[in-house]
Amino acid sequence: MSLNENFFKYPEEIKPEFIETEDIVFRDGSRISAADIWHFMTEEAPVRYPYAYTNNRYYGRRLSGDVRLPSSIKHNYLMLTMNDRTSRARENGSPIIFVQGGQSVDPYYAAGGIALRPASTGAWARGKEEGLNLREEEMRSLDVREKARKAISFEICQTAGYEHIQEGNLPVDMVAPYLCLRCSDVGYGVEAHRHGKRKIGLFLVDFPLDHQKEKEWAAGYLARNLHRLTREIGKMSGKEVTENDLKEEIKLHNKGRKLALDTADVWWSASAPPTNGADRRAIFQMGGMELHGDPNASLTVLKEANKDIKERVKHSTKGEGVTDNARRLFVGGSCVFPNDFRTEEAGGIIVGNDNHWSDISTIVEETGDPYEKLARAILSYPYEQPIEGRAEWTIDQLKKSRSDGFLFLYNWGCNTQSAIARMLCDIIHEETGIPTLIIEHEMRGEQTEQLQNRVNAFIEMLN
């Protein structure tokens, strides 16, 4: 890593090797060369988004610093161009759909939309204001979040992009989450949008609760909801959505899911972690095909990352910043994540998390009625099963990832995760003997030091 005062800079000596790597291919068929990505990341982005180049170890979203991992640089390129790309796609007629609740996004894209979760809307919003340093960016973020908390409810655990949508910063066309799927805040957010100052289309995909995956009526009911969803999005995109459209989208997304599973198996099998935690998380999450607002671009980078990881494992290359014999942590719960960099400074590394890995690791059958097959896959997400079933799947992930400890994290106000935390952790500990720790995080973004101190103490205990 090269340092320029308090800012990160990609070293010029890696340029010749990087610009020989693969292009990123986008959904509309366009592409960008590695040489152009290099120019953006070294010349343009440091001026437009200086906060992203901070070396402040307290900033969990800073660039990973693993400069010899090309897929890491390309992931960061896609995150920093989220505003440019999403705004342009919307101007060209692609409706933007806000989603929340941990579902796969195949049907949204099959209907011609772009599905963005809260994290992606946050990246889009950050790109709207340029030239901010880290402090200015953090103050902007806190200010808009406070407006949203007052508008929705102080009972919420997170505002989920409400502030950007209702303040008009982001031209989102529809709010269409899966109701009753894992996240209690979905209901708060939808109700708030009903009487927000900006009128926006609302659509609910009703997810059948309470162990319904084996019941025929539930698969049919959810399939009809997915039909309605694609039809409504199609009205905005001008596309008459066919079953074949959804089939092709499922095939594309299955490529990402399978590639992520293969990458995880290789990563977890390595004698030393082949990347740091920040890069691992980004690579695994690309399998959900929603991280960058462009499934095809995510798949391009994921393919390259898969090759990178296999090459590193072959040569026993360790990720930048990872200590020898780092304690391996698996994270459960929703919406809270320790700072990867500070976790590694303390001698640990986060090797996996159940949030979203649940849907990424669920392959959808590609034959038959695509709506029914997708509905059955959604109903079988391990994360949404009764606690014993979810614990059984989590134990399997802990064993595969050779985890030393299990952290269960959630924000204060999360009614779903707080209710199951103790029983889930007790089952995992009783079945495996792996130490567990539950942390309820109060006020996201304002108690990061307390959270990290407890994580670091847990790592010390594991040592």
Side-chain angles (χ1 to χ4, degrees), residues 33 105 115 122 124 265 397:
S33 69
V105 293
W124 185 12
D265 285 342
Q397 305 308 303

Side-chain angles (χ1 to χ4, degrees), residues 431-455:
E431 294 289 327
T432 66
I434 291 175
T436 66
L437 176 66
I438 299 171
I439 301 178
E440 181 181 74
H441 187 225
E442 187 177 354
M443 305 306 295
R444 187 178 186 188
E446 298 170 22
Q447 292 189 328
T448 53
E449 192 63 22
Q450 291 92 329
L451 168 70
Q452 195 63 48
N453 283 343
R454 296 184 67 188
V455 172

